Amino acid sequence: MKLIINKKARYDYEISKTYTAGIVLEGREVKSLRAKHASLTGSFVKIINSEAFLLNAQINPYAFAKNDDYNPKRTRKLLLTKKEIADLDQATNNKGWMIIPLSIFLKGRNIKVDIGLGKGKKVHEKREAIKKRDLEREVRRDTL
């Protein structure tokens, strides 16, 4: 079940490959995510010392927990295999490639993050995507 979706990710980036990663969370963050109080807008993944970290993702504080020293945009560690981290690190060393979180979802009892390896789209590519989407919508409307 998808909890949080980064809608701007597929609009701003052309995703070539996706990975599923575990995420290290605190208990109050798990409860807040299950209540869908989070945002992935503007967040990204960075490889530091052969470990993957999710930066700038906002998980709002859980209302019924003690939140005195809670930082909603703290850095969170992602759990990936060594091979996946090596592939991502090698790909991001190429100019223009980034690792973007696409969604946070439940898989059984665990919370996972879908991340994608993507390259930024140019403005004219975004315009073409909008035109294509509008044309498809009109065709569907006409067929009904």
Side-chain angles (χ1 to χ4, degrees):
M1 177 172 98
K2 299 250 183 190
L3 298 174
I4 310 297
I5 298 172
N6 189 356
K7 294 178 183 176
K8 293 284 283 182
R10 295 204 187 267
Y11 176 73
D12 289 336
Y13 299 94
E14 186 177 326
I15 306 299
S16 64
K17 193 169 183 184
T18 60
Y19 298 88
T20 299
I23 184 167
V24 178
L25 297 170
E26 297 175 357
R28 56 187 163 184
E29 292 176 332
V30 172
K31 290 199 170 240
S32 184
L33 279 173
R34 287 180 183 266
K36 300 182 181 184
H37 296 298
S39 173
L40 290 175
T41 306
S43 60
F44 59 97
V45 177
K46 192 167 189 177
I47 308 290
I48 304 169
N49 295 332
S50 298
E51 293 180 333
F53 292 95
L54 178 64
L55 289 93
N56 214 21
Q58 178 160 347
I59 299 177
N60 297 329
Y62 185 60
F64 302 108
K66 185 178 177 185
N67 295 309
D68 296 338
D69 59 344
Y70 180 67
N71 180 9
K73 289 197 173 195
R74 75 177 181 89
T75 302
R76 294 166 181 92
K77 185 176 179 180
L78 295 179
L79 307 172
L80 291 161
T81 63
K82 287 182 182 180
K83 185 181 183 313
E84 290 173 335
I85 291 174
D87 291 345
L88 289 170
D89 193 27
Q90 183 181 7
T92 55
N93 288 336
N94 297 335
K95 188 176 180 185
W97 290 92
M98 287 188 65
I99 310 168
I100 303 103
L102 303 173
S103 64
I104 297 177
F105 63 97
L106 283 172
K107 186 173 185 181
R109 292 182 50 189
N110 300 324
I111 294 180
K112 304 280 186 177
V113 180
D114 264 343
I115 58 175
L117 185 61
K119 197 168 193 165
K121 286 184 182 177
K122 306 257 188 295
V123 176
H124 64 86
E125 292 172 337
K126 292 179 187 179
R127 283 191 207 123
E128 288 174 15
I130 292 171
K131 287 178 187 176
K132 184 178 177 183
R133 187 175 61 223
D134 289 344
L135 277 172
E136 289 174 359
R137 190 179 301 138
E138 286 179 21
V139 168
R140 269 188 306 204
R141 226 182 284 153
D142 291 340
T143 58
L144 295 176

